Amino acid sequence: MGKPTGFLDYDREVSKDIDSKERIKNFNEFHVYLSKEKQQIQGARCMACGVPFCQSGMVLMGMVSGCPLHNLVPEWNDLVYRGNWEQAYERLVKTNNFPEFTSRVCPALCEKACTCGLHDEPVSVRENEHGVIENAYAMGYAKAKPPKARTGKKVAVIGSGPSGLAVADQLNKRGHLVTIYERDDRPGGLLMYGIPNMKLEKQIVERKVEVMKEEGITFLTGIDVGRDEKAAQLLKEYDAVVLACGAKNPRDINAPGRDAKGIYFAVDFLSQTTKSLLDSDLKNKKYVSAKGKHVVIIGGGDTGNDCVGTSIRHGAKSVTQLEMMPKAPDERAENNPWPEWPKVCKTDYGQEEAIAMYGHDPRIYTTTVKEFLKDKNGNLKGIITVKLESKKDEKTGRFMMVPVEGTEKKMDADLVLIAAGFLGTESYIADDFGVKLNARTNVATEEGSYKTNVKKVFTAGDMHRGQSLVVWAIREGREAAKQVDEALMGYSYLSVQ
């Protein structure tokens, strides 16, 4: 612990955001980070707790508190404070393969469990992490480090999202020959096409991919395994195959008029925008545009918020976000004490921008679409909304959100984006490999295992656990890699935490 009184001497300070009306003029990241000197002061606020909840990753009341990767937070905070940036980097990457991603897109479960946050502001863990990894690239600490020996074992990883990349990175460090198959034209999975540029600029993904290539990992893009390349051939060619294809089955809204022209899934809307941005700076027009349209987004989560921010950058006339659930409280309730995950209302960057542009919060709570309205040509022209209330289902005993009769309202809508979550694995690749799915349509394994019912086939990430956070995908990838290594070599010294 570098400065025992640091949490008393210094206030929390984080990066500044570019003004909403200014940042919506482009798709760039919009945080202005602290200087190294100021970041070191923030490292001094860490209390080096006897029980560091920040790195616990434990489940409390059904929610995870602390980092699922068990990052050694107090250790590298202390090293940051002391100015030992290279050592801080070495401690950070012992548990996290991709701090360049998590320091930008993770909701900072570590900070929500920080002991400083019990009575004061938590330590700025995520931004300290950002400072460590960006300094490492600047100083050359994060350069490629190819393995000194190879085992001769070959592994195919299907999918280059965060879990697939983590599997590949770990197994390559062990000396196995790893090939990643990606159906899109660029590696990165949801990091490349699922998360908008303003949250994660794509040169950050490309930078890490180039390092991984230099370390010996092979990336094959534009190959849709299960269609272009069949499972039987891969199982002949490789000693193990890891399925890390994500949970890309979007949940639909089945209401009358669903066939109207102008209704899209959020994942398609976001990925098309990013691809067009990368290919042509949006000049090729190969994306669904929200310009001049009344946009309605169905879904109140992170993806819905990303649709808000993207629609505003397109030049939407108005943006409305429908949320089925009630608004969360602005402060912790008594039955939601620290260090549980705080169930409070969060106004994210997209909602902030909507408030700045349109003068009000875009979210309408306890509301969904009852009907989509079409004109005579089949184009979407509006929606009928209905309020929802929580009622107990007498058969199951579960509380459900059900429509309230007489609360219907008409709303203009030229473009509807469905951001209602995902249902699990796409069936064609599961069918091709013959892997079993569970009731949630994720690839089935035994509890705590990543082995499927098919010999030599493993799984990890959202395809295994369902839609989740990048930090969970990395943890799954690390744990799956250890099991693959054990299967190939009979033992493993790969670390999972």
Side-chain angles (χ1 to χ4, degrees), residues 7 12 46 67 82 84 121 142 145 159 187 191 216 234-235 248-249 261 267 281 288 292-293 307 343 386 427 437 449:
F7 66 99
R12 174 182 165 97
C46 185
C67 180
R82 296 175 183 276
N84 294 332
E121 291 293 309
K145 301 177 182 68
L191 298 167
L234 294 178
L235 290 170
K248 293 187 177 179
N249 264 340
K261 301 170 189 174
V267 64
D281 197 25
V288 175
K293 296 179 180 178
C307 288
K343 294 183 283 188
V386 64
S427 59
L437 304 181
S449 174

Side-chain angles (χ1 to χ4, degrees), residues 156-403:
V157 178
I158 318 303
S160 65
S163 63
L165 292 177
V167 169
D169 193 40
Q170 290 291 95
L171 292 177
N172 184 65
K173 283 181 170 65
R174 179 69 167 91
H176 304 311
L177 294 166
V178 183
T179 300
I180 298 179
Y181 289 81
E182 171 56 55
R183 68 181 178 183
D184 287 327
D185 60 337
R186 294 176 173 88
L190 71 84
L191 298 167
M192 179 60 67
Y193 286 130
I195 298 172
N197 212 62
M198 48 275 196
K199 286 173 70 173
L200 176 62
E201 290 187 3
K202 303 315 163 189
Q203 64 264 30
I204 303 300
V205 181
E206 292 165 347
R207 178 179 65 180
K208 183 58 181 180
V209 167
E210 286 306 310
V211 170
M212 295 175 74
K213 287 179 180 178
E214 291 175 28
E215 291 178 335
I217 296 172
T218 300
F219 288 82
L220 300 178
T221 57
I223 299 176
D224 192 355
V225 172
R227 290 172 175 155
D228 304 331
E229 191 86 15
K230 303 302 282 184
Q233 181 59 38
L234 294 178
L235 290 170
K236 285 181 183 178
E237 187 176 347
Y238 293 94
D239 299 294
V241 175
V242 183
L243 301 178
C245 309
K248 293 187 177 179
N249 264 340
R251 182 179 281 108
D252 208 345
I253 302 295
N254 295 313
R258 173 63 181 84
D259 60 341
K261 301 170 189 174
I263 304 173
Y264 301 89
F265 288 114
V267 64
D268 298 327
F269 172 74
L270 295 172
S271 62
Q272 287 177 23
T273 293
T274 298
K275 180 165 171 51
S276 179
L277 183 69
L278 295 175
D279 289 347
S280 69
D281 197 25
L282 300 182
K283 292 182 175 66
N284 64 13
K285 305 295 183 183
K286 293 182 178 179
Y287 63 96
V288 175
S289 177
K291 186 174 182 178
K293 296 179 180 178
H294 294 290
V295 181
V296 174
I297 298 153
I298 305 173
D302 288 342
T303 303
N305 173 71
D306 291 338
C307 288
V308 173
T310 301
S311 297
I312 290 171
R313 283 163 176 75
H314 284 184
K317 190 171 184 179
S318 70
V319 179
T320 303
Q321 190 177 8
L322 304 183
E323 167 62 82
M324 288 183 63
M325 302 305 292
K327 179 180 179 295
D330 292 323
E331 297 181 358
R332 279 184 185 268
E334 288 187 8
N335 62 354
N336 177 216
W338 177 91
E340 291 179 9
W341 173 263
K343 294 183 283 188
V344 297
C345 183
K346 175 188 177 185
T347 299
D348 214 328
Y349 77 96
Q351 287 120 17
E352 290 176 353
E353 293 162 1
I355 292 168
M357 286 298 296
Y358 309 119
H360 60 86
D361 194 309
R363 291 170 288 189
I364 300 176
Y365 296 94
T366 58
T367 301
T368 192
V369 174
K370 183 176 182 179
E371 183 180 354
F372 300 101
L373 304 176
K374 298 180 287 186
D375 64 18
K376 62 182 180 180
N377 296 317
N379 297 308
L380 181 72
K381 67 175 184 178
I383 60 172
I384 301 294
T385 66
V386 64
K387 297 296 288 183
L388 301 170
E389 64 179 354
S390 179
K391 278 193 174 181
K392 188 175 182 179
D393 186 298
E394 297 301 329
K395 292 182 179 178
T396 65
R398 296 174 59 188
F399 282 92
M400 315 244 334
M401 298 301 291
V402 298

Side-chain angles (χ1 to χ4, degrees), residues 16-24 29-32:
K16 306 299 182 186
D17 290 347
I18 295 171
D19 182 74
S20 291
K21 290 188 176 180
E22 186 63 29
R23 72 193 190 217
I24 62 171
E29 290 183 19
F30 49 83
H31 306 296
V32 181

